[in-house]
Amino acid sequence: MAQGAREGRKLFVGSLPDGIADETLIATFQQYGQIEDVFVKPGCEPGRQSAFVTFATNQQAQYAKESCDRVLTFPGAGRPCEVMIARNQGLFGQQGPQEISPMFAPAGPVPRARSADVASDAGPRKIHVGSLPDSITEWQLRQEFSRFGTVTDVMVKTGCEPGRQWGFVTFQRSAEAQVAKESTDRILMFPGSEKP
């Protein structure tokens, strides 16, 4: 898919009721197009729940925005939700893919998803990355995890307590996410981290 076709596919949805489920968002937004991903932001303050909904095309996302912004109200919400095109689309930001060098990796060959793994690509594409240094950036996570496959989105949680930084990395295929998890879980340690 060309870079231009990817822009504007992710929506930010704010003013959601506390504890809203992914399934509720999918059921509501799928009437506007094909949903590729839903991320309900964890740890929001009461009354400040938000989520991201990614559509297959930017036209579907725009249709959902125009149809729902300040109109759609979920049970338990105090007011209609805000629906807008997300500022960070999570697809290489404003830049294209770059040559990746392993910055923080343990020595050794980098495993990649095998073509046999790709054929049955049902499974999670998003992995949780914890025990990150407080100074970590989305760029650093993208650089490091791009060694395992095509990274389509990176989110670093803001406002964490010192020493409790975490984030999510989403891959194009579930096989890539699985290889990344198996290769880094309790092994990879970024400079400034207290533990892997």
Side-chain angles (χ1 to χ4, degrees):
M1 183 182 302
Q3 178 75 16
R6 290 181 170 176
E7 293 175 3
R9 298 183 312 126
K10 184 189 293 184
L11 296 179
F12 169 82
V13 184
S15 299
L16 293 169
D18 298 336
I20 192 164
D22 293 9
E23 295 78 20
T24 303
L25 289 168
I26 291 169
T28 301
F29 282 97
Q30 70 184 358
Q31 63 186 313
Y32 303 103
Q34 178 184 341
I35 305 293
E36 289 198 345
D37 189 42
V38 171
F39 172 73
V40 177
K41 187 174 177 187
C44 292
E45 296 175 26
R48 301 199 34 100
Q49 184 64 61
S50 61
F52 292 96
V53 177
T54 305
F55 285 87
T57 69
N58 55 357
Q59 293 87 358
Q60 293 169 353
Q62 186 64 35
Y63 176 48
K65 176 200 175 308
E66 291 169 0
S67 301
C68 299
D69 187 32
R70 303 187 194 283
V71 175
L72 177 64
T73 304
F74 288 92
R79 62 180 188 244
C81 57
E82 295 96 29
V83 180
M84 60 190 79
I85 303 295
R87 281 180 279 194
N88 179 358
Q89 291 293 310
L91 297 163
F92 302 109
Q94 301 303 315
Q95 304 169 355
Q98 303 168 352
E99 185 173 316
I100 306 302
S101 61
M103 297 171 20
F104 310 108
V110 176
R112 302 287 290 202
R114 299 183 322 258
S115 56
D117 297 334
V118 174
S120 62
D121 198 44
R125 296 181 302 126
K126 185 182 295 184
I127 61 171
H128 176 266
V129 184
S131 302
L132 294 171
D134 297 335
S135 62
I136 195 75
T137 65
E138 289 183 1
W139 180 84
Q140 289 172 311
L141 276 181
R142 181 179 301 281
Q143 289 287 96
E144 183 59 30
F145 283 90
S146 290
R147 298 179 312 120
F148 303 102
T150 303
V151 174
T152 60
D153 193 22
V154 174
M155 190 282 295
V156 173
K157 170 74 167 117
T158 57
C160 292
E161 296 175 30
R164 310 261 311 162
Q165 188 65 55
W166 57 271
F168 286 107
V169 177
T170 305
F171 288 87
Q172 185 173 6
R173 298 189 308 253
S174 63
E176 295 169 333
Q178 185 64 32
V179 168
K181 179 176 176 16
E182 291 170 0
S183 300
T184 62
D185 194 23
R186 304 196 192 293
I187 299 169
L188 176 65
M189 188 163 173
F190 286 88
S193 293
E194 295 177 10
K195 59 185 178 180

